[in-house]
Amino acid sequence: MTQGTVAHWIGTALARDAAVKTVFGVVGSGNFHLTNALTEHGARFIPARHEGGAAVMADAYARVSGELGVLTVHQGPGLTNALTGLTEAAKSRTPLLVLAAEATQPTSNFYVDQAGLAAAIGVLPDRVTAASTVANDLRRAYRTALIERRTVLLSLPLDVQAQPHPDIPLPAVQVWPRLSPAPETVAQVADMLARAKRPVFLAGRGARKAREDLKQLSERLGALLATSAVSRGLFNGDPFNLDVSGGFATPAAAELIAGADLVIAWGCALSMWTTRHGTLIGQDTTVIQVDANPGALGVHHRVDLGIPSDVATAARALVIELDRRGQRAEGYRTPAVAKRLAAEGRWRDVPFQPEAEAGRVDPRTLTIALDDLLPAERTVVTDSGNFMGYPAMFLGVPDEHGFVFTQAFQSVGLGLATALGAAIARPDRLTVAALGDGGALMGASELETAVRLGLNDLLIVVYDDEAYGAEVHHFGPHGDSLDNVRFPAADLAAIARGHGYAAATVRSQEDLAAVSSWLAGPRDRPMLIDAKVTRGKPSWWLEEAFKGH
Ligand SMILES: Cc1ncc(C[n+]2csc(CCOP(=O)(O)OP(=O)(O)O)c2C)c(N)n1
């Protein structure tokens, strides 16, 4: 029994006092007691098969549920195994608390400079230093992760974990008031808006709770609406929704965004992806950026005015100011733009000639057929690779929670675990994990996890080109040898069946009948389809992706 120890108290305090409901991880001796205390007090523990998967699941769970993500790992290798996923979380400012045991004796096999590892990947290192300080140490790490939206590593030295500790409640954390713009800033923006003829809003992750306020403001101004990839779906249903801005944008959307004379970035970093390396924002375009994190203003792109503010609060203040002034404009919302968006606003509307290759299906044909087949209530997840644009843009999503894109580190192999974390957060929706064959095999350690957890509303779609297609298409035209980036055919359907999945190899649209049967029920297992896709051409966005290297 470990009751009355620091380890037990940390688990108790998080589950009981901080209401942590779900924890991901892999258990070793160093986090065994802590994990048991968490579950004893009502938290659900999700055991992954690899810490890399556990970290990504915790990240995706936090993104989709809106809760703090919590991960627990063994000391040393338990943490090093999680590093890629933690880098992704840190870059995305996912609120994530990592509880890692720690060997503090340099002679221990498990010893590694954990704080140094965390700092190197942008994770904030913290530590429980003694039994006498654990309450404050835990509260501090929890507060920073939750309130400042940071990925925090709380190292738990083994000797401190074993010390006695009384069962006291975790001290409460204080929530910050929301930042709001000064009245003179609101007036200044209203003046700038009065001069704008073709305004466009680019809404990022920080705008996800501000849909209605932004829509109201855009209607008064005649602004077109676009999102960054991570907030895809936010403006679904609006006739002036351009969908995603950046590499994934349709030709019509890209042209309209580039034609803006004023862009307001709402909780959006204006990264090279969202702006297509700056080319979607004209030299003379006025750029305003609103972000609750003052540190995000002007980091990726020049801004004429940076406003540190909560997005909804700023949008609401502007609506009130425009109404007070009686300021309204048709702006960019002209009948001609409406007509154009109705005709070519979605990738599905853009005509293409399917590529022909014996025994293989064009990835666009495949994805459009899946879009028609699958229920609209879905969460779409993609891994990284040449294939990525097809599911990201041809599969519709129901709202801003429907697309989960763990691509801030551009790592291959995170897609499957992302899908598992998302599926756990939204069991009411079908989760679609779109993976390349490279990413599927890199992340394959979690294939069994989905079956074990009974995530039966999971469809894994592997865009199987039997290669690292991104490299093949990037280097192929230069005449380089491609031997090291091509692979013999692998029977991924058989691998999945071995894990307990329903599975099918798909070589044509007709082969998707197997998906229809699975959807019809009883849906007692997840499904994987190994779609043998055509290999002749790179996807349209790949060249853009390589510019980011
Ligand atoms: C962890 C990691 N290793 C390597 C890369 C380099 N890389 C980028 S795309 C890619 C190929 C991925 O292949 P696959 O998943 O089959 O997708 P495809 O490009 O064939 O569509 C690789 C190896 C990376 N981004 N991340």
Side-chain angles (χ1 to χ4, degrees):
M1 286 304 283
T2 57
Q3 280 189 355
T5 61
V6 165
H8 193 268
W9 180 77
I10 292 172
T12 304
L14 282 173
R16 184 192 61 195
D17 305 331
V20 165
K21 294 199 220 52
T22 307
V23 179
F24 297 82
V26 173
V27 170
S29 57
N31 60 342
F32 181 89
H33 295 306
L34 163 80
T35 309
N36 275 358
L38 279 160
T39 51
E40 241 174 64
H41 289 88
R44 180 181 181 201
F45 178 65
I46 310 284
R49 285 299 185 184
H50 190 288
E51 289 85 351
V56 176
M57 284 181 219
D59 178 356
Y61 178 85
R63 293 182 199 218
V64 178
S65 69
E67 295 170 22
L68 173 76
V70 182
L71 170 74
T72 178
V73 295
H74 185 68
Q75 63 270 21
L79 181 62
T80 55
N81 262 357
L83 291 183
T84 302
L86 294 182
T87 312
E88 169 63 34
K91 280 176 181 272
S92 300
R93 285 189 76 106
T94 299
L96 180 63
L97 178 62
V98 184
L99 304 162
E102 185 180 39
T104 47
Q105 291 299 324
T107 47
S108 161
N109 285 68
F110 289 125
Y111 176 81
V112 67
D113 175 6
Q114 297 196 171
L117 286 175
I121 58 168
V123 169
L124 284 182
D126 205 339
R127 174 179 283 127
V128 170
T129 45
S132 57
T133 63
V134 62
N136 203 40
D137 296 338
L138 179 61
R139 186 196 57 79
R140 180 181 60 241
Y142 171 76
R143 190 206 73 88
T144 308
L146 185 69
I147 312 286
E148 293 184 29
R149 300 186 62 84
R150 297 298 300 266
T151 299
V152 177
L153 168 67
L154 185 64
S155 286
L156 311 170
L158 296 172
D159 51 346
V160 178
Q161 285 198 53
Q163 286 171 18
H165 194 272
D167 187 10
I168 55 168
L170 181 70
V173 301
Q174 203 193 333
V175 177
W176 283 345
R178 290 184 183 170
L179 285 175
S180 53
E184 53 274 25
T185 307
V186 174
Q188 188 187 353
V189 177
D191 290 345
M192 294 163 93
L193 296 179
R195 292 191 290 274
K197 296 199 169 45
R198 293 177 310 283
V200 168
F201 287 0
L202 298 182
R205 197 197 318 269
R208 286 168 91 189
K209 290 195 177 128
R211 181 213 333 262
E212 292 314 315
D213 296 301
L214 290 174
K215 283 185 67 163
Q216 277 188 30
L217 182 63
S218 68
E219 282 159 18
R220 279 166 179 71
L221 291 174
L224 304 183
L225 299 167
T227 69
S228 63
V230 286
S231 25
R232 175 158 199 242
L234 182 63
F235 299 124
N236 272 2
D238 190 296
F240 290 97
N241 178 22
L242 301 173
D243 206 347
V244 175
S245 172
F248 291 157
T250 56
E255 210 182 297
L256 288 164
I257 296 165
D261 61 351
L262 179 135
V263 164
I264 309 187
W266 299 97
C268 173
L270 289 177
S271 72
M272 60 182 165
W273 304 113
T274 308
T275 64
R276 276 198 194 168
H277 294 85
T279 57
L280 292 185
I281 300 184
Q283 303 262 319
D284 301 325
T285 306
T286 303
V287 182
I288 300 174
Q289 189 181 9
V290 182
D291 205 296
N293 170 22
L297 298 172
V299 170
H300 291 274
H301 196 278
R302 70 163 171 92
V303 291
D304 298 291
L305 179 65
I307 306 173
S309 172
D310 172 66
V311 167
T313 308
R316 221 171 298 138
L318 276 161
V319 169
I320 292 167
E321 177 64 9
L322 296 192
D323 286 352
R324 195 186 64 75
R325 296 179 177 204
Q327 192 173 320
R328 279 190 97 97
E330 184 190 50
Y332 222 165
R333 296 192 162 207
T334 62
V337 169
K339 202 170 154 209
R340 182 161 187 203
L341 286 178
E344 42 180 314
R346 303 176 311 160
W347 268 109
R348 286 187 66 143
D349 305 324
V350 179
F352 69 93
Q353 186 61 41
E355 208 190 326
E357 189 181 343
R360 295 189 165 265
V361 59
D362 184 293
R364 293 160 293 187
T365 308
L366 167 80
T367 315
I368 291 169
L370 281 169
D371 192 41
D372 290 338
L373 203 61
L374 302 176
E377 275 298 309
R378 60 176 86 140
T379 307
V380 174
V381 171
T382 75
D383 206 320
S384 202
N386 172 61
F387 77 95
M388 168 163 81
Y390 304 120
M393 294 313 300
F394 287 87
L395 289 180
V397 295
D399 56 30
E400 69 278 16
H401 305 294
F403 185 56
V404 196
F405 195 59
T406 39
Q407 280 302 315
F409 195 28
Q410 235 184 308
S411 174
V412 172
L414 308 189
L416 176 60
T418 301
L420 268 53
I424 291 162
R426 287 301 300 262
D428 54 316
R429 286 184 165 170
L430 177 80
T431 303
V432 185
L435 318 175
D437 49 307
L441 289 166
M442 198 180 280
S445 53
E446 303 306 336
L447 277 173
E448 178 267 352
T449 304
V451 176
R452 171 167 43 85
L453 297 177
L455 301 178
N456 298 336
D457 292 314
L458 171 71
L459 175 67
I460 301 173
V461 180
V462 184
Y463 289 75
D464 186 355
D465 61 356
E466 291 150 17
Y468 291 156
E471 277 64 30
V472 167
H473 295 297
H474 184 62
F475 294 105
H478 306 298
D480 292 299
S481 164
L482 299 173
D483 292 352
N484 299 329
V485 288
R486 283 196 172 129
F487 295 89
D491 189 349
L492 292 167
I495 291 172
R497 256 179 233 113
H499 281 88
Y501 286 70
T505 304
V506 171
R507 297 179 179 280
S508 68
Q509 194 174 331
E510 290 67 48
D511 291 341
L512 290 177
V515 177
S516 304
S517 322
W518 174 76
L519 284 170
R523 214 93 69 81
D524 57 355
R525 60 195 62 200
M527 181 169 200
L528 179 144
I529 60 171
D530 181 9
K532 302 286 186 187
V533 291
T534 53
R535 299 170 289 187
K537 290 201 186 81
S539 73
W540 81 96
W541 73 279
L542 191 71
E543 200 186 319
E544 183 64 23
F546 271 101
K547 279 192 214 154
H549 281 46

